[in-house]
Amino acid sequence: MNKIFYSILFVLLFVKGMSAQTEKGTWLLGGNASYIRSSGVGLVSITPSVGYFLLRNLAGGAAVNFLGAKSGSYFSVGPFGRYYFYGDDRGRLYITAGLNIGGGKGSSFDTGFNLGGGYALFLNESISIDIGSHYDKIGANKGIFTIGAGFQVHFSRLSGSKID
């Protein structure tokens, strides 16, 4: 009888942990990277980010974007929003949008935006591998369309902190 009770308890706790991935109060820490080559020029983009689920499936946060090429580098920082939809505890589609301000060596600061989407494949209740595409537009420059991969870590609580 105890084995059945503990088995049911384990399953209930496991299911609760899995559904906490995009629940209100969960922290999101991660980023993505992409590489694009156009007209013989290579560009690397690395974007670390941190967010917080304000509502179920909806996170808001901040991201820093580093773009690098032989001709120079560029960085930007700004808020973003990410919404997860259609899927289950193994994976979900998401869309993301953000604003940014940044600049590079020899250029003035400029504003821009980014839009994207993709699929988050959950390896367990805390880690997802994200495959997606983004469109970044900064100032009067041409927009950049990239396809890349990243990861996100979902924390239901950070150690030593209390989230109500």
Side-chain angles (χ1 to χ4, degrees), residues 20-28 51-53 154-156 163:
Q21 295 161 334
T22 61
E23 291 299 316
K24 180 180 177 181
T26 301
W27 285 92
L28 188 63
Y52 183 76
F53 281 88
H154 301 250
F155 297 99
S156 58
I163 301 171

Side-chain angles (χ1 to χ4, degrees), residues 2 12 35-36 38 44 64 79 86 90 95 98 115 130 151:
N2 281 341
L12 290 174
Y35 176 80
I36 186 171
S38 176
V44 175
V64 178
Y86 191 73
R90 293 173 300 204
I95 56 172
L115 301 170
D130 298 355
F151 71 94

Side-chain angles (χ1 to χ4, degrees), residues 55-119:
L55 302 170
R56 184 171 185 248
N57 297 326
L58 178 65
V64 178
N65 190 14
F66 299 99
L67 298 170
K70 276 189 174 183
S71 60
S73 60
Y74 184 88
F75 77 95
S76 65
V77 62
F80 74 89
R82 180 180 267 214
Y83 181 71
Y84 290 86
F85 62 100
Y86 191 73
D88 55 24
D89 293 335
R90 293 173 300 204
R92 293 177 186 232
L93 294 173
Y94 68 88
I95 56 172
T96 185
L99 301 173
N100 51 48
I101 183 169
K105 185 177 179 181
S107 68
S108 60
F109 279 87
D110 219 337
T111 59
F113 68 92
N114 58 67
L115 301 170
Y119 184 76

